[in-house]
Amino acid sequence: MRTLILVGHPDLRHSGTQAFLHEAAQALTNADWWDITSQAVTTPAQIAQLQGEMRRYDRLIFQFPLYWYSLPGVFKQWLDTVWTAPFVSGRPGEAPALAGKELGIVVTFSQAAEDYRLGGKEHFSLSELMRPLAALGLAAQMRLLPLFPVAQFAYMPETKRQRLLVAYAQYLSLPAGTHFADRARWFSDWLTAHASEDQEYAAWAAALAARQEQLTDLHDTLAEMRREEDDRNGG
Amino acid sequence: MRTLILVGHPDLRHSGTQAFLHEAAQALTNADWWDITSQAVTTPAQIAQLQGEMRRYDRLIFQFPLYWYSLPGVFKQWLDTVWTAPFVSGRPGEAPALAGKELGIVVTFSQAAEDYRLGGKEHFSLSELMRPLAALGLAAQMRLLPLFPVAQFAYMPETKRQRLLVAYAQYLSLPAGTHFADRARWFSDWLTAHASEDQEYAAWAAALAARQEQLTDLHDTLAEMRREEDDRNGG
């Protein structure tokens, strides 16, 4: 599973949410990370190169803060430029470049998640507001992953951030549609494997602020999430 | 009725559709026209000035070509910059700046209109794809006008363009919810009034390529549209 995270944020350097996600992606996954706002794309050669690089991944993630109910302008402008019509829809007789690949959407916002629903403060669900991106994914013949919303990161207590860390790493790396028990096992295995490779684990631990209890905490979080899932399933 | 058309097009000078709409707006209405892509907005003072000017209108029109199922990036970036949160949502204890004003959306695209529906080639309706703008209008406490789609202008025969001209001028100028007969009468009166004012009519006629039969054609088009409407209503 090769994953590419396309991050479009007008003020990336000052975003605590994106810094957290970046750290998680680096420490816990092999996903690549593009800061598209730093890509000066002006020539056809640059566009062709970026298109070529995107082809090499199995999963693309659009990651951005919600700006007026959609992508920030800077992200949209990049899409308008780099995702040309032939790239998205294919040339006659050819499959589109991204056909069969997966498209994930990680959208962060400062409102409460429950504001986005019928009769809620923001009137529409996030799934409704993301329709243009769904349409783009469908035009490219990509498979849509379930939306990954991150609400009010700034107010998130540490335990919830821990869960976000696990869920985000899984979103980037796990095959789609994996059952929860398998997802948990996969991640647990991943942690164990990396814990035995001293160097990798050291880097991971350092990236996670070098807290010694991190690994245990993650295992505990996983165990807790699994218990809740079992309870929900009446098991 | 003071109307402001906000046009965001990455290549406005080469757009035949926008040139046609611009000519219609200038010749047939008193609406103002902003090419927002030519507005270099960088300072808070510039933002405040644009906000102040927008307050003076009763109806704002977002006008743009559909780029990947939504606003072009250049338009979104302008919105992200100029439509600040306090401007849209108001400050505590204050009504939002645009509360009660009308928001229209004129969206042009090269696909067939029927591609935008459930099971159609583009999967989603334009109303669905415009949800983010609807949400923005609702956040600003504006009243949404019915969407004004312009499909495949390049292939439009002259008779259809004539109808577009009338419908567009009405969209810009007529009070919302006006019954068709009243709309037709309003426009007919407008034409007659302007025909009697030699100078105004001359400018208008010139703007419409100075064709002598223009006025008659428009009256004919209106009469035809009215007959069709009557037929539909079984009248």
Side-chain angles (χ1 to χ4, degrees), chain A residues 67-68 71 76-77 80 83, chain B residues 67-68 71 73 76-77 83:
Chain A
Y67 267 49
W68 289 140
L71 287 175
K76 185 58 180 16
Q77 199 136 19
D80 290 351
W83 287 46
Chain B
Y67 267 50
W68 289 141
L71 287 176
K76 185 59 179 17
Q77 199 136 20
W83 287 45

Side-chain angles (χ1 to χ4, degrees), chain B residues 127-191:
Chain B
S127 295
E128 286 175 290
L129 295 172
M130 295 298 115
R131 287 277 201 280
L133 292 182
L136 178 58
L138 290 169
Q141 297 183 23
M142 299 178 82
R143 286 184 293 150
L144 294 178
L145 296 180
L147 191 64
F148 192 94
V150 181
Q152 302 185 303
F153 177 81
Y155 308 115
M156 221 178 256
E158 190 53 39
T159 53
K160 227 179 148 193
R161 289 191 180 192
Q162 201 85 317
R163 282 156 177 264
L164 173 62
L165 192 82
V166 175
Y168 179 66
Q170 292 178 329
Y171 191 72
L172 298 180
S173 303
L174 262 184
T178 310
H179 182 268
F180 183 85
D182 294 327
R183 277 191 284 144
R185 193 175 311 119
W186 172 88
F187 197 70
S188 190
D189 289 352
W190 194 97
L191 287 176

Side-chain angles (χ1 to χ4, degrees), chain A residues 10 67-74 76-77 79-80 83-85 88-89 122-124 128-136 138-139, chain B residues 10 67-74 76-77 79-80 83-85 88-89 122-124 128-136 138-139:
Chain A
Y67 267 49
W68 289 140
Y69 309 101
S70 55
L71 287 175
V74 66
K76 185 58 180 16
Q77 199 136 19
L79 271 184
D80 290 351
W83 287 46
T84 57
V88 170
S89 309
E122 303 295 353
H123 303 288
F124 299 112
E128 286 175 291
L129 295 172
M130 294 299 116
R131 287 277 201 281
L133 292 182
L136 178 59
L138 290 169
Chain B
Y67 267 50
W68 289 141
Y69 309 101
S70 55
L71 287 176
V74 65
K76 185 59 179 17
Q77 199 136 20
L79 271 184
D80 290 351
W83 287 45
T84 58
V88 170
S89 309
E122 303 296 353
H123 304 287
F124 300 111
E128 286 175 290
L129 295 172
M130 295 298 115
R131 287 277 201 280
L133 292 182
L136 178 58
L138 290 169

Side-chain angles (χ1 to χ4, degrees), chain B residues 18 37 44 67 71 80 90-91 103 142 158 196 224 228:
Chain B
Q18 296 298 333
T37 52
Y67 267 50
L71 287 176
D80 290 351
R91 296 175 193 282
L103 176 62
M142 299 178 82
E158 190 53 39
S196 65
E224 198 181 325
E228 288 175 8

